[in-house]
Amino acid sequence: MGLRLSRVIGHRGVAATAPENTLTGFRLAAEAGFSWVEFDVMLSADEVPMLHHDEKLGRTNDGRGRFCAQDAEALGRLDAGAWFAPDFAGERIPSFADAIACCRALGLAMNVEIKPAKGHAIRTAEVVSETLNALCPDLTDRIVVSSFERECLEVAKEKAPDFHRGYLCERLADGWRQAAEDLGCVSVHPNHRPLTEAAVAAIRDAGFRTLTYTVNDPLRAATLIAWGVDAVITDEPSLVAALA
Ligand code: G3P
Ligand code: MG
């Protein structure tokens, strides 16, 4: 089934107003009017897929060391909210399964970014694929799986073929079209900063949708949409109304 996109996608939940990659972030994204959210999935040491952006702990929680060196139980005890604001103290790092259940309950569609720690690309993509197959067989039109790591998209193509894939990149490098085609992607997700109108046209002419990140300025967002971008991934809840 085709991908049912909206024009705005909440980045890491709604990162301007809630701690990133948390269930409260998803709740606040839904309250702000988002119907899609993006989030990052990384494996714990005991191979539980959990939501986290950085390879290192500490920026978005009170942990230390490498994320992938700790078991899910220890990661789940960290405070993932107090760093953002005192009101969010006690927020936890959710598992991917918890995030899926939360988004499902809130009616949020998901851009699942596979974010492997170095050396863990294949296993992370395998576990994400297994989880999607087990928990989301009814949501294939409401999920797009993306990654900067080509290996992850190869594994997703093989292990979770029913789910749409997005070719995530900084800029359109040589060979992007062939790579996105080979990986069976439906969309290309470039950084908006180097993006040009001609690049957006090239993506469209090649038959892909364009999702671009991370767009927080409403004027820039309007320009990108006018160029033909399908969706902007944003931290800012005000973009929901601005692009309505
Ligand atoms: O998926 C879009 C965007 O999230 C990619 O960059 O570093 O925010 O995960 P990053
Ligand atoms: Mg991301």
Side-chain angles (χ1 to χ4, degrees), residues 119-137:
H120 296 266
I122 289 177
R123 193 61 196 135
T124 307
E126 284 175 351
V127 175
V128 166
S129 299
E130 287 159 12
T131 306
L132 288 172
N133 290 335
L135 300 183
C136 306

Side-chain angles (χ1 to χ4, degrees), residues 11-12 38-40 53 113 115 168:
H11 186 227
R12 309 180 193 169
E38 183 266 3
F39 54 81
D40 308 293
H53 179 275
E113 184 188 339
K115 188 73 104 181
L168 183 55

Side-chain angles (χ1 to χ4, degrees), residues 11-12 20-21 38-40 53-54 111-113 115 146-148 168-170 189-191 211-214 233 235:
H11 186 227
R12 309 180 193 169
E20 66 187 54
N21 288 321
E38 183 266 3
F39 54 81
D40 308 293
H53 179 275
D54 302 356
N111 175 186
V112 177
E113 184 188 339
K115 188 73 104 181
S146 63
S147 187
F148 287 109
L168 183 55
C169 56
E170 271 297 324
H189 304 197
N191 190 323
L211 284 64
T212 187
Y213 64 93
T214 303
I233 300 172
D235 300 321

Side-chain angles (χ1 to χ4, degrees), residues 5-162:
L5 279 175
S6 70
R7 271 190 178 170
V8 285
I9 297 175
H11 186 227
R12 309 180 193 169
V14 57
T17 51
E20 66 187 54
N21 288 321
T22 65
L23 301 187
T24 294
F26 298 146
R27 186 172 54 74
L28 293 182
E31 283 178 18
F34 285 99
S35 56
W36 274 80
V37 286
E38 183 266 3
F39 54 81
D40 308 293
V41 183
M42 194 173 277
L43 282 191
S44 65
D46 52 344
E47 297 196 337
V48 177
M50 300 180 81
L51 271 53
H52 200 255
H53 179 275
D54 302 356
E55 288 214 30
K56 278 192 191 160
L57 294 163
R59 180 179 62 84
T60 58
N61 48 62
D62 55 355
R64 290 177 60 187
R66 296 183 74 205
F67 185 91
C68 68
Q70 298 205 22
D71 284 350
E73 204 259 332
L75 293 168
R77 281 200 305 266
L78 298 177
D79 188 310
W83 69 278
F84 188 84
D87 281 355
F88 294 99
E91 192 68 35
R92 300 294 168 208
I93 297 175
S95 68
F96 182 31
D98 287 343
I100 290 169
C102 180
C103 288
R104 181 187 281 284
L106 292 165
L108 289 170
M110 293 170 260
N111 175 186
V112 177
E113 184 188 339
I114 306 176
K115 188 73 104 181
K118 208 172 171 57
H120 296 266
I122 289 177
R123 193 61 196 135
T124 307
E126 284 175 351
V127 175
V128 166
S129 299
E130 287 159 12
T131 306
L132 288 172
N133 290 335
L135 300 183
C136 306
D138 57 326
L139 295 178
T140 54
D141 61 336
R142 308 266 295 148
I143 291 176
V144 60
V145 179
S146 63
S147 187
F148 287 109
E149 305 294 328
R150 304 303 159 237
E151 269 184 319
C152 289
L153 293 174
E154 272 166 26
V155 170
K157 183 184 177 193
E158 189 195 330
K159 305 278 185 192
D162 295 342

